[in-house]
Amino acid sequence: MGAEIGATTSVFPFNKSMVDYLNATGRNKIAEFATLYKNDFLSADAGCEYDEVIEIDLNTLEPYINGPFTPDLATPVSKMKEVAIENDWPLEVKVGLIGSCTNSSYEDMSRSASIIKDAADHGIKAKSLFTVTPGSEQIRATIARDGQLQTFEEFGGIVLANACGPCIGQWDRQDIKKGDKNTIVSSYNRNFTARNDGNPATHAFVASPEMVTAYAIAGDLRFNPVTDTLVGADGKEFKLKPPSGDGLPQRGYDPGENTYQAPPADRASVQVQISPESDRLQKLTPFKPWDGKDGLNMPILIKSVGKTTTDHISMAGPWLKYRGHLQNISNNYMIGAINAENGKANTVKNLYTGEYSGVPDTAIAYRDAGIKWVVVGGENFGEGSSREHAALEPRFLGGFAIITKSFARIHETNLKKQGLLPLNFVDPAAYDKINPDDTVDILGLKDLAPGKNVTLRVHPKNGEAWETPLSHTYNAEQIEWFKYGSALNKMAASKKHT
Ligand SMILES: *[C@@H]1O[C@H](CO)[C@@H](O)[C@H](O)[C@H]1NC(C)=O
Ligand SMILES: *[C@@H]1O[C@H](CO)[C@@H](O)[C@H](O)[C@H]1NC(C)=O
Ligand SMILES: *[C@@H]1O[C@H](CO)[C@@H](O)[C@H](O)[C@H]1NC(C)=O
Ligand SMILES: *[C@@H]1O[C@H](CO)[C@@H](O)[C@H](O)[C@H]1NC(C)=O
Ligand SMILES: *[C@@H]1O[C@H](CO)[C@@H](O)[C@H](O)[C@H]1NC(C)=O
Ligand SMILES: *[C@@H]1O[C@H](CO)[C@@H](O)[C@H](O)[C@H]1NC(C)=O
């Protein structure tokens, strides 16, 4: 994983730890092969120059806690007490959550268990609720065999299913009421508003598994595990020992239960049967190919302001159960985004009836009337989890283009894959100039080519039309996706030809 600072990818020099890990996970051959190239491709190029160098001295870096409401806000633990009081963040830590795909390595689990053992040795239990979500069946089985899992449970921890769990809102939280202001600390990778428990008043903080465990023990955001003491059952003060734990299991990984069911050799005979009554599963119908025309006179479904993450575009929580049903899940499209016109979520005007309604309803009304529409957005549009639905939904609902100041890279590619046009204002001031009830044309699509801008013509309700260039990041292959209506359509078509 690379730092979330806009990096497209991260390269770590190949070293012994990676050899050991590949070996421990049954990939000796890859380790051997990589070792052959460790001084060539798998290390920094000799004499290479960088645009910017950021030096981080891990010896002096103290633990940080990020949040609430965005992973971009970071506070060192030594300052947390001061900063939390200053910002009126709830000081009591209600729940500590570790695991999910992030930070549930054997080492993470072992080090967290070591802190708990230490606390248990002093006769104390966690003040907060404590949940553990093993990131895979292999990790669950291995920590069950090696004892860490029992340590968590004896301490009052709740071991959840091997899944994303509360990280993406699969959490039937019972300890508070919706709307209650409260603090939780997790080792998940994001802390966007309402992401974990659907409660916008929850202050979600993100820290390493070790820090989360320490906070769950102390139950207080003001606690600094590096310097502060706790009181043991014997009434004596003690400091938590620094965490320790093996990087790799000494007895190797236990793969656990094999639940993979392979398809039969002759797949042509397989029929996918979906109950017509199902509200959770629905067959996908291929999107229509591009009609070869520019988009003309299109309404702006919503001009969103502020952060528009994939959580705003396609909310998690109760909606996740509809992931196999595009029609149903599309009813969450952009319901978290803030409308520039009125500062409200999920309240947009239908340009033709003048009536206000939810974003999905308005999109459906446009689509069913044969009207293509666009969305206008700000910076880093679509930051967050790489949710495919954030791109499938606008396409299903009849969207034509998403026009922003800038995109989060994965979301931009997802939109291209589904046959929508992700376009950028060359002049960011054009974003401010557009009114939510203008209509727009997108011109020049017949000549869509890598590196070549297209034109946005804006028709204000009253006044002269004006034009502004839009850039894009399409390469030649991706332009085919647009023309065919989606990447899948293109793949299916190439398969027919061969
Ligand atoms: C190998 O590289 C990783 C990532 O840069 C680092 O965390 C690890 O400590 C390194 N291991 C050794 C043995 O140098
Ligand atoms: C990797 O594992 C194999 C046995 O599975 C062993 O023979 C080899 O020495 C290991 N390599 C390293 C670098 O640990
Ligand atoms: C996430 O953290 C950032 C900065 O650390 C903070 O500004 C934001 O409010 C947090 N979000 C939530 C939902 O707690
Ligand atoms: C936890 O996960 C984040 C990525 O979301 C990673 O940057 C961080 O290093 C992980 N921390 C630990 C202790 O594994
Ligand atoms: C999901 O689909 C079912 C059946 O079509 C429908 O009754 C239900 O209202 C839908 N739910 C949502 C949230 O769209
Ligand atoms: C096209 O867009 C780029 C920004 O990506 C900009 O630098 C360039 O000036 C634009 N070209 C024209 C002809 O507007």
Side-chain angles (χ1 to χ4, degrees):
M1 262 220 180
E4 205 154 351
I5 49 172
T8 305
T9 189
S10 305
V11 180
F12 297 90
F14 190 71
N15 67 18
K16 174 82 168 50
S17 304
M18 299 172 196
V19 172
D20 293 344
Y21 182 72
L22 287 168
N23 241 11
T25 50
R27 291 174 285 187
N28 315 17
K29 287 270 178 318
I30 297 176
E32 276 165 33
F33 190 67
T35 303
L36 291 178
Y37 296 103
K38 82 175 156 71
N39 297 325
D40 307 321
F41 309 119
L42 300 175
S43 61
D45 299 342
C48 66
E49 288 181 18
Y50 302 94
D51 289 340
E52 198 185 333
V53 175
I54 303 173
E55 229 166 274
I56 302 172
D57 181 356
L58 297 180
N59 290 323
T60 57
L61 185 69
E62 69 169 301
Y64 272 70
I65 171 160
N66 285 39
F69 310 121
T70 162
D72 306 331
L73 175 66
T75 309
V77 278
S78 61
K79 298 265 153 39
M80 197 59 196
K81 183 173 170 180
E82 203 179 302
V83 175
I85 294 171
E86 211 175 277
N87 287 286
D88 196 23
W89 292 335
L91 300 173
E92 185 195 350
V93 175
K94 285 277 186 192
V95 194
L97 308 98
I98 65 168
S100 87
C101 71
T102 343
N103 297 312
S104 72
S105 70
Y106 189 79
E107 185 169 20
D108 291 328
M109 293 291 151
S110 303
R111 290 168 63 90
S112 291
S114 81
I115 300 173
I116 287 180
K117 259 202 140 67
D118 186 20
D121 287 347
H122 288 89
I124 62 169
K125 289 224 181 255
K127 290 241 171 64
S128 316
L129 290 175
F130 184 63
T131 73
V132 182
T133 310
S136 68
E137 169 59 8
Q138 176 164 274
I139 272 294
R140 186 209 58 77
T142 308
I143 63 174
R145 181 199 64 197
D146 291 353
Q148 294 92 337
L149 199 96
Q150 287 79 341
T151 303
F152 294 141
E153 285 181 337
E154 279 162 23
F155 195 63
I158 304 163
V159 179
L160 305 172
N162 311 330
C164 299
C167 179
I168 51 162
Q170 293 167 326
W171 187 15
D172 183 15
R173 190 170 174 193
Q174 303 284 356
D175 66 299
I176 54 144
K177 286 197 303 295
K178 200 153 199 173
D180 285 355
K181 193 171 160 185
N182 75 101
T183 284
I184 62 172
V185 183
S186 82
S187 71
Y188 304 150
N189 48 14
R190 293 186 177 90
N191 70 334
F192 297 131
T193 308
R195 176 182 166 104
N196 303 124
D197 61 358
N199 178 7
T202 292
H203 288 52
F205 294 87
V206 179
S208 69
E210 296 91 326
M211 292 303 298
V212 172
T213 307
Y215 278 117
I217 292 168
D220 194 311
L221 214 48
R222 288 168 296 188
F223 179 67
N224 178 353
V226 184
T227 53
D228 296 350
T229 53
L230 295 163
V231 180
D234 56 5
K236 286 196 192 128
E237 290 195 7
F238 72 99
K239 255 168 70 173
L240 288 170
K241 288 198 198 96
S244 64
D246 288 338
L248 295 169
Q250 284 172 15
R251 295 160 60 195
Y253 283 102
D254 180 340
E257 204 180 318
N258 185 359
T259 53
Y260 177 63
Q261 188 182 343
D266 176 16
R267 299 182 194 195
S269 66
V270 177
Q271 275 195 21
V272 179
Q273 291 188 335
I274 296 174
S275 160
E277 272 103 61
S278 176
D279 65 348
R280 300 184 59 161
L281 291 175
Q282 179 188 49
K283 265 192 192 163
L284 281 177
T285 314
F287 296 129
K288 288 212 179 81
W290 177 49
D291 61 9
K293 294 181 192 147
D294 285 338
L296 298 177
N297 264 313
M298 297 178 288
I300 297 165
L301 176 66
I302 179 172
K303 174 180 172 181
S304 74
V305 285
K307 254 184 192 270
T308 310
T309 68
T310 46
D311 280 82
H312 298 98
I313 301 172
S314 177
M315 264 190 196
W319 292 97
L320 290 174
K321 65 169 181 259
Y322 296 126
R323 275 187 298 188
H325 197 296
L326 186 53
Q327 184 176 350
N328 266 4
I329 199 172
S330 292
N331 287 326
N332 78 358
Y333 181 57
M334 290 288 266
I335 61 177
I338 302 302
N339 181 4
E341 187 197 353
N342 52 17
K344 289 184 188 164
N346 205 22
T347 313
V348 294
K349 185 162 73 184
N350 181 316
L351 205 59
Y352 306 100
T353 64
E355 275 164 28
Y356 282 87
S357 165
V359 183
D361 300 339
T362 309
I364 290 168
Y366 289 158
R367 179 195 63 194
D368 292 352
I371 301 165
K372 293 172 185 155
W373 48 262
V374 303
V375 162
V376 171
E379 300 278 7
N380 205 13
F381 191 93
E383 176 192 11
S385 301
S386 62
R387 255 171 231 163
E388 201 71 41
H389 288 97
L392 278 160
E393 293 175 20
R395 182 74 166 100
F396 178 75
L397 295 172
F400 189 68
I402 312 290
I403 308 164
T404 66
K405 289 194 199 171
S406 67
F407 283 101
R409 185 184 50 85
I410 299 176
H411 183 59
E412 182 179 31
T413 309
N414 285 348
L415 289 169
K416 290 178 188 170
K417 274 195 245 160
Q418 301 307 341
L420 273 136
L421 285 167
L423 302 168
N424 286 126
F425 294 110
V426 171
D427 172 18
Y431 168 87
D432 300 313
K433 216 174 143 190
I434 287 189
N435 296 305
D437 55 6
D438 297 344
T439 59
V440 301
D441 304 335
I442 295 173
L443 308 172
L445 294 178
K446 276 201 192 75
D447 303 318
L448 188 64
K452 197 172 164 200
N453 299 343
V454 298
T455 300
L456 181 73
R457 187 192 290 147
V458 182
H459 303 279
K461 206 166 168 202
N462 310 301
E464 291 282 293
W466 52 280
E467 292 187 355
T468 189
L470 299 177
S471 62
H472 63 79
T473 60
Y474 276 96
N475 61 31
E477 187 193 343
Q478 294 169 338
I479 290 174
E480 294 295 295
W481 299 347
F482 169 67
K483 290 184 174 164
Y484 276 83
S486 72
L488 261 182
N489 286 357
K490 170 73 175 79
M491 276 155 73
S494 343
K495 197 144 194 286
K496 268 177 214 144
H497 295 154
T498 53

